[in-house]
Amino acid sequence: MTKKIIIIGGGIAGLSTGVYAQINSYDAIIFEKHSKPGGLCTSWHRKGFTFDYCIHNLAGTGNVPLREIWNDLGAFEGTEIINHEVFIQIEDIKGNVLNIYTDLDRLEKHMKEIAPEDSKTIEEYVKAGKSLSGAGFFSMGMDGTLSKLKIAPHVPKIIKWGKITVNEYAEKFKNGFLKRAFPHVQYDMNTSNIPMFPHLLFLSGFYVGDLGWPKGGSLEFSRRIAKKFTDLGGELNQSSKVERIIVEDNRAVGIILADGSEHRADIIVSAADGHETIYDMLDGKYTNETIDKYYQAYEEEQEFGLQVFLGISRDLSHEPHAISLLLDKPVKLELKERDSLYLELFDSSTGVAPEGKSVIKVVTKGNYDYWKKMREEDLENYRNEKEKVYKIVLEILEKRFPGIKEQVEVHDVTTPATVERYTLNFHGWQPWPLPDGGFMSMMRGISKTLPGLQNFYMVGQWSNAMIGISNAALTGRNLIKELCKKDRKKFKTQ
Ligand SMILES: Cc1cc2nc3c(=O)[nH]c(=O)nc-3n(C[C@H](O)[C@H](O)[C@H](O)COP(=O)(O)OP(=O)(O)OC[C@H]3O[C@@H](n4cnc5c(N)ncnc54)[C@H](O)[C@@H]3O)c2cc1C
């Protein structure tokens, strides 16, 4: 008899679980709260412009093992992958520019031209990026132990580059501009003190031609996977919020929707927010100390938490797609002063802006408590405050793109409260690494199953405390592979 699987949440993890379930002759049914699929991997339309919330760089776009998953999911069908020449351009007011070229030889040459006195450090940096390229870190987990074994020779490098932060590494440069610019190399996350290791992983990805951007953006990407799911016979129920998981004798047997209807299945999978699943849908009855401690350890500020979108009647195709603007004097946005601003630029060739026009997305950190409280207490004030953020950002953009003020056709601002509202992600957050710096989550996850609860699985970013669209898709694939093994079925991918 065909086993029925209920999947809570139609983000990338839920959709991936659904596609692989259908391929492997399970009967999958997804309940998604929102009226569209994709979860965080989303975009929205305003006056002919598409505001793309999510994908900066996607692992698995190149000729790498991970690509197989996107092929299985139909994620690139009918679209093309855009590979950028420059990962990020960091520029100051004096006209100094550091381009992080995705061609690492070009990067080395460019950096040496800026700072010949730093040749040795530059060589070390580029060599480190290249040296990680053979390990297939982004594909880790595809073949279970085998792909993890491939990582083993790289462990000394993981330890070395995990200990030094990007900001600390910047101090190695003698050149004043490189010293100031380097902390901004990874999405301008200079205030987050991130280790060098994840940044080097990006360089290694570019080195093998990976980490592109699917034309059309995040929602189109998600919709193609949703289409694959329904084409395979899967049932996708949108605007269907799950309130509770029905448990009988410590076995998950079904779910109750917000409209009160009950749905039963052989297996229940949550691809939704971890906190909501564990503490609301299951009343916190199936947890342990590690899980509890994890959810208590969230930070106030969130990377990418505050975003400003502008649809403008101006062609920006001659500009790099990502810029970190080093400001001449700090500006206060919401609670904190910032000395730089990260922009992503989308011209019409990306498929998100009309011909001759462009979208600018400005991304910075956001404070959940600040926005959430304001929204709850005074919606008008919340809206005014978002408008204030937009106006400050626009003044900065006017200096970089004179005349832009007159060219804005539409704008929008999102905060962590927006993300929480639309995806129910805890505090609008994405997972933060486990105390071991992420190694444990990479190896075995945190809540793929819950203590004492049978018939129940978690997939997605909260199941292994790791962000990433490819990570989300992988967790879905791996769960179905595991179920096939239990059911003595050969796991199929087509
Ligand atoms: C701004 C931003 C930029 C990012 N950029 C990148 C990038 O460039 N590359 C990359 O690889 N990753 C990126 N990420 C990370 C990546 O987007 C996420 O890690 C990934 O999309 C998570 O997918 P998921 O399916 O696990 O979770 P989600 O996307 O959160 O999906 C969960 C789904 O469950 C639904 N849901 C929740 N509760 C319920 C309920 N009670 N009933 C029914 N449905 C429910 C939600 O509506 C949602 O659709 C970015 C994330 C953000 C926020």
Side-chain angles (χ1 to χ4, degrees):
M1 210 182 70
T2 310
K3 277 192 182 167
K4 187 171 172 181
I5 304 182
I6 282 181
I7 300 163
I8 307 167
I12 298 301
L15 294 171
S16 164
T17 310
V19 170
Y20 283 109
Q22 288 300 127
I23 291 174
N24 286 282
S25 306
Y26 292 99
D27 207 352
I29 170 164
I30 296 177
F31 292 102
E32 164 56 46
K33 164 200 169 281
H34 206 291
S35 56
K36 48 190 181 183
L40 289 169
C41 191
T42 199
S43 334
W44 56 96
H45 307 297
R46 293 280 185 277
K47 296 190 179 169
F49 295 89
T50 300
F51 290 160
D52 197 73
Y53 181 69
C54 186
I55 306 177
H56 308 280
N57 295 88
L58 182 69
T61 55
N63 186 16
V64 292
L66 198 56
R67 172 85 187 213
E68 270 176 42
I69 295 192
W70 300 131
N71 293 344
D72 296 341
L73 300 179
F76 301 148
E77 267 167 31
T79 193
E80 61 186 87
I81 299 300
I82 297 173
N83 287 301
H84 297 291
E85 274 182 30
V86 175
F87 172 43
I88 183 170
Q89 172 171 304
I90 303 144
E91 53 179 66
D92 69 7
I93 191 98
K94 293 182 199 137
N96 292 308
V97 167
L98 168 63
N99 278 315
I100 301 299
Y101 287 108
T102 52
D103 172 343
L104 301 193
D105 296 321
R106 189 170 172 198
L107 172 65
E108 184 173 329
K109 189 165 169 272
H110 166 69
M111 288 181 81
K112 282 180 175 171
E113 278 162 12
I114 298 173
E117 67 274 31
D118 285 312
S119 288
K120 268 184 91 173
T121 309
I122 293 165
E123 279 164 25
E124 179 193 51
Y125 165 55
V126 171
K127 192 174 159 203
K130 286 181 179 176
S131 77
L132 292 171
S133 60
F137 279 98
F138 292 110
S139 314
M140 203 180 82
M142 264 185 85
D143 306 310
T145 318
L146 191 70
S147 54
K148 283 177 190 157
L149 280 177
K150 276 198 206 151
I151 305 294
H154 296 273
V155 169
K157 278 181 259 169
I158 299 177
I159 295 169
K160 175 179 171 185
W161 294 108
K163 274 189 191 155
I164 178 161
T165 66
V166 173
N167 294 30
E168 284 163 350
Y169 200 73
E171 289 303 314
K172 287 185 78 167
F173 295 107
K174 298 184 192 98
N175 180 281
F177 173 62
L178 280 196
K179 222 186 247 302
R180 168 135 198 243
F182 195 80
H184 302 261
V185 287
Q186 188 67 35
Y187 301 136
D188 199 42
M189 291 158 71
N190 62 312
T191 55
S192 293
N193 229 7
I194 56 161
M196 279 293 282
F197 179 64
H199 172 61
L200 292 172
L201 274 189
F202 273 69
L203 290 196
S204 74
F206 295 132
Y207 191 55
V208 296
D210 198 18
L211 294 172
W213 194 81
K215 185 173 172 176
S218 304
L219 180 60
E220 292 305 306
F221 172 83
S222 300
R223 282 202 164 129
R224 285 189 292 272
I225 305 178
K227 181 175 181 308
K228 180 83 183 186
F229 173 63
T230 51
D231 284 353
L232 286 165
E235 188 182 324
L236 175 59
N237 296 285
Q238 297 176 152
S239 306
S240 302
K241 181 176 184 275
V242 174
E243 290 287 350
R244 309 205 47 84
I245 294 169
I246 308 169
V247 179
E248 290 171 358
D249 297 330
N250 295 324
R251 293 173 75 81
V253 294
I255 53 108
I256 304 177
L257 291 183
D259 67 7
S261 59
E262 275 192 31
H263 303 261
R264 294 201 166 228
D266 302 292
I267 295 161
I268 311 297
V269 177
S270 176
D273 169 65
H275 191 277
E276 192 207 357
T277 301
I278 297 166
Y279 299 101
D280 296 333
M281 294 182 208
L282 288 163
D283 288 330
K285 286 184 184 154
Y286 301 94
T287 174
N288 59 29
E289 206 187 330
T290 310
I291 296 173
D292 290 344
K293 269 194 179 161
Y294 175 78
Y295 282 102
Q296 284 155 15
Y298 68 91
E299 286 176 27
E300 242 180 59
E301 272 202 322
Q302 301 159 31
E303 214 56 72
F304 312 148
L306 185 59
Q307 304 201 10
V308 180
F309 298 84
L310 300 92
I312 54 167
S313 55
R314 178 172 183 154
D315 178 20
L316 293 176
S317 54
H318 54 288
E319 295 280 356
H321 89 105
I323 302 176
S324 168
L325 286 180
L326 306 182
L327 306 178
D328 47 345
K329 55 176 194 299
V331 285
K332 197 172 173 214
L333 280 182
E334 52 146 79
L335 291 172
K336 278 201 173 151
E337 303 236 303
R338 338 253 156 161
D339 63 1
S340 66
L341 214 54
Y342 177 67
L343 328 176
E344 283 186 7
L345 280 49
F346 304 82
D347 62 48
S348 60
S349 72
T350 61
V352 304
E355 203 52 45
K357 301 187 180 186
S358 306
V359 169
I360 299 184
K361 171 164 93 167
V362 181
V363 185
T364 184
K365 278 187 170 179
N367 183 303
Y368 170 80
D369 289 337
Y370 174 76
W371 291 106
K372 175 75 177 174
K373 194 162 176 278
M374 203 185 304
R375 195 176 191 285
E376 276 180 355
E377 285 176 357
D378 185 346
L379 191 57
E380 199 53 34
N381 189 27
Y382 171 79
R383 288 183 179 142
N384 291 340
E385 208 53 36
K386 290 209 297 183
E387 207 53 21
K388 220 159 97 184
V389 168
Y390 162 65
K391 287 192 174 137
I392 294 170
V393 164
L394 191 58
E395 287 302 327
I396 298 170
L397 293 179
E398 179 66 25
K399 287 190 195 157
R400 173 60 173 77
F401 306 98
I404 199 172
K405 272 187 178 176
E406 308 305 316
Q407 295 163 334
V408 181
E409 293 189 6
V410 58
H411 71 273
D412 206 353
V413 179
T414 61
T415 73
T418 320
V419 180
E420 182 186 55
R421 214 150 41 87
Y422 280 99
T423 67
L424 293 182
N425 271 299
F426 182 52
H427 288 206
W429 244 115
Q430 294 194 82
W432 48 95
L434 286 165
D436 69 340
F439 196 66
M440 201 161 92
S441 33
M442 270 163 77
M443 298 313 275
R444 62 180 160 83
I446 169 174
S447 56
K448 288 186 199 166
T449 55
L450 293 178
L453 184 60
Q454 306 297 310
N455 266 11
F456 175 81
Y457 300 89
M458 277 176 69
V459 291
Q461 54 176 3
W462 296 99
S463 69
N464 60 0
M466 268 176 73
I467 62 166
I469 297 163
S470 55
N471 169 58
L474 249 171
T475 58
R477 176 190 186 267
N478 287 349
L479 171 63
I480 298 301
K481 196 172 172 188
E482 191 184 321
L483 293 180
C484 284
K485 199 171 166 194
K486 271 193 178 167
D487 290 336
R488 296 173 189 277
K489 295 205 270 192
K490 190 172 171 346
F491 175 64
K492 292 187 286 184
T493 57
Q494 302 285 328

